[in-house]
Amino acid sequence: MNLPNGVNLDLKDKFYFVNAEDARVVLAEAWGNPPESVSDAAGMIFPGKASPLAETWGIELRPDLIGYVNDEDAASIDYNELLASMKSDTQAGNEERTKAGYQPITLIGWAQPPKYDAENKRLYWAKELKFGSDAKNTLNYDVRFLNRDGVLVMSYIASIDQLPAVNSSLPDVLSSVSFEPGKRYSDFVPGADKVAAVGIGGLIAGKVVAKTGLFLVALALLKKFGIVLLLPLAWVWRKIRGTA
């Protein structure tokens, strides 16, 4: 499957792909995330034949054309210090979330410490999150595929008890992505191509550059199963599977 920005996605028969429109319905209407936080979703991946309206995990896909990410800082990052900063940033964003009518978020810690695969230019890590007073914590497992123009974002959205299943699926997910010639990380042209304002640490922390030139934190922390499922959402599932 060919996606925008030179991304090739080979899911074989282990996963299936949901397009951008249906992915946004699942993320916002079925799973209760703020619509503005999922507006850039380019699609989702789900395991096997599992319905997104059932107890399963999903992976949000999103291209982020921030420019070529210099990975020289990868070996020098103090992940404990980085986590402390991320917890503070998450806490600081709760006032805005609650004013908008959404639950506050507590970043519990790493569910999987960050790992950077320098050979294949892939970065992945997992956060354990608590949304409001929810009894079950949420897992956000993030993968970044570095390329010439920025990164392909893959974000697993699951419950924390699904971490073993997510870890089991990760090798197949990592091997499903490739980039066309001219779009690979190694195709970068110094002096001609755009360079990202963040490195590996900034990708993990969720730092973005605002129009003012200042660094901000992108509060793209997503959850599962936020509201009661409605009949139209069941129709979406039938449409996705081609039975509507």
Side-chain angles (χ1 to χ4, degrees):
M1 178 186 304
N2 296 321
L3 299 179
N5 305 115
V7 176
N8 295 318
L9 194 61
D10 183 7
L11 299 178
K12 300 183 170 60
D13 59 351
K14 296 183 178 181
F15 312 96
Y16 67 89
F17 178 78
V18 169
N19 68 26
E21 180 182 357
D22 290 335
R24 291 166 195 158
V25 170
V26 170
L27 289 166
E29 297 187 31
W31 290 8
N33 292 286
E36 61 272 17
S37 73
V38 302
S39 60
D40 293 333
M44 291 187 74
I45 295 171
F46 293 95
K49 298 180 179 179
S51 165
L53 309 185
E55 284 284 345
T56 189
W57 49 261
I59 306 174
E60 181 210 7
L61 280 72
R62 176 168 43 88
D64 196 356
L65 306 182
I66 57 175
Y68 175 89
V69 177
N70 189 317
D71 62 356
E72 292 180 353
D73 67 327
S76 61
I77 300 171
D78 183 330
Y79 290 122
N80 291 327
E81 183 178 316
L82 182 61
L83 179 61
S85 174
M86 291 167 64
K87 286 183 175 182
S88 177
D89 289 339
T90 303
Q91 181 65 33
N94 278 332
E95 181 177 356
E96 182 179 340
R97 285 185 61 88
T98 53
K99 282 183 179 178
Y102 294 97
Q103 295 167 300
I105 302 172
T106 301
L107 173 55
I108 304 298
W110 301 125
Q112 197 83 16
K115 180 177 181 180
Y116 180 56
D117 178 350
E119 180 179 355
N120 294 300
K121 306 303 178 184
R122 300 185 299 217
L123 170 68
Y124 40 102
W125 72 98
K127 302 183 293 290
E128 181 178 357
L129 305 166
K130 186 174 185 64
F131 282 77
S133 58
D134 287 0
K136 183 180 290 188
N137 287 352
T138 290
L139 172 70
N140 277 191
Y141 202 130
D142 289 287
V143 184
R144 301 291 184 271
F145 298 85
L146 279 64
N147 57 72
R148 180 179 181 178
D149 299 321
V151 295
L152 172 65
V153 175
M154 277 192 175
S155 296
Y156 280 88
I157 307 156
S159 56
I160 193 64
D161 57 6
Q162 291 174 315
L163 179 59
V166 168
N167 274 327
S168 178
S169 73
L170 188 62
D172 288 323
V173 169
L174 292 176
S175 65
S176 72
V177 174
S178 62
F179 294 95
E180 296 176 0
K183 293 293 185 179
R184 299 166 183 163
Y185 190 83
S186 58
D187 294 322
F188 170 69
V189 180
D193 290 344
K194 177 182 177 182
V195 177
V198 298
I200 297 299
L203 292 180
I204 297 170
K207 299 290 185 180
V208 297
V209 181
K211 291 181 180 179
T212 60
L214 298 175
F215 284 100
L216 301 176
V217 177
L219 299 176
L221 303 173
L222 302 179
K223 68 172 292 186
K224 290 178 59 182
F225 312 123
I227 61 174
V228 177
L229 301 179
L230 304 176
L231 182 61
L233 295 174
W235 179 86
V236 167
W237 168 238
R238 292 198 299 273
K239 183 167 74 72
I240 289 169
R241 303 307 294 163
T243 58

